[in-house]
Amino acid sequence: MIQILDKSFDVYIPEATLEARIKALAEDINQAYAGRTPLFVSVLNGSFMFTATLFKYLTIPCEITFIRVASYHGTASTGSVKEVLGLQENPADRDIILLEDIIDTGRTLEALLPLFGTARSVAVATLLFKPEALQANLDIAYVGFEIPNRFVVGYGLDYLGQGRNLPCVYQLWEG
Ligand code: 5GP
Ligand code: MG
């Protein structure tokens, strides 16, 4: 059990399990994108650790860029998606793979997808997915772990700005 500010969390996905699953996702992507040079678009801040781990296991030619969206405060989604910052590369005719830390309501992703309308293809890879929270009609090609609708931190994900450094995924303690 760990404490971040006013809340307690316990380990939900250990580090070795995360590493092994992300490696398997990378191997799937290596196969699916053989002969292409995808442009990965990593959605900061939360996806930085997932992105770094995935990248170690990619063996295909590939490029990466980083964008930013902010829409979440505390432990409940505000439901409002703010500005998208940082997309400098032209997605036209590219094979885009969006990298997300977590898909909750799906609203963030839904707001991002129109930016890639001119791409040759768009796929989504997310470390975590909460199917019970989903409020959008989305096709998610690569999912690390499906998790219940409970707040998680660690491995890049934060609680009020803290906890991103934790090497495991932790779940809010409600005991
Ligand atoms: P959406 O609801 O739009 O799918 O998710 C928006 C964003 O909310 C995610 O990219 C992530 O930054 C944040 N988020 C959703 N669920 C959680 C959670 O359980 N823990 C943390 N730390 N962030 C979350
Ligand atoms: Mg995110």
Side-chain angles (χ1 to χ4, degrees):
M1 184 100 88
I2 56 147
Q3 184 82 17
I4 303 174
L5 300 170
D6 61 325
K7 302 224 183 298
S8 300
F9 296 86
D10 58 347
V11 175
Y12 182 59
I13 310 175
E15 186 174 8
T17 308
L18 289 160
E19 182 93 12
R21 180 68 189 130
I22 297 168
K23 180 173 187 241
L25 290 182
E27 287 164 356
D28 289 349
I29 291 170
N30 287 333
Q31 287 210 353
Y33 287 82
R36 294 189 268 172
T37 305
L39 172 61
F40 288 85
V41 178
S42 174
V43 185
L44 295 173
N45 293 326
S47 68
F48 76 89
M49 211 176 277
F50 169 48
T51 299
T53 303
L54 185 85
F55 255 64
K56 292 188 294 180
Y57 297 110
L58 291 173
T59 54
I60 49 169
C62 60
E63 297 172 21
I64 189 164
T65 189
F66 296 87
I67 62 173
R68 238 190 117 116
V69 198
S71 66
Y72 216 80
H73 297 282
T75 59
S77 179
T78 61
S80 63
V81 173
K82 293 179 191 161
E83 234 183 326
V84 178
L85 303 167
L87 186 65
Q88 254 128 45
E89 285 69 14
N90 184 355
D93 304 320
R94 299 296 308 265
D95 293 302
I96 304 293
I97 305 177
L98 278 167
L99 299 180
E100 269 283 16
D101 51 354
I102 186 164
I103 296 172
D104 186 53
T105 64
R107 297 289 178 217
T108 304
L109 193 56
E110 207 174 36
L112 286 175
L113 289 173
L115 296 175
F116 304 98
T118 58
R120 186 173 143 201
S121 68
V122 185
V124 178
T126 187
L127 178 61
L128 305 171
F129 175 42
K130 292 179 180 171
E132 293 160 24
L134 192 66
Q135 291 171 25
N137 186 15
L138 295 169
D139 179 21
I140 308 159
Y142 303 96
V143 173
F145 301 88
E146 288 197 1
I147 64 169
N149 197 3
R150 288 177 66 182
F151 188 76
V152 290
V153 292
Y155 217 82
L157 290 108
D158 73 306
Y159 170 54
L160 295 176
Q162 297 186 25
R164 295 191 194 276
N165 52 309
L166 296 165
C168 311
V169 171
Y170 287 72
Q171 206 172 38
L172 184 62
W173 175 260
E174 288 170 318

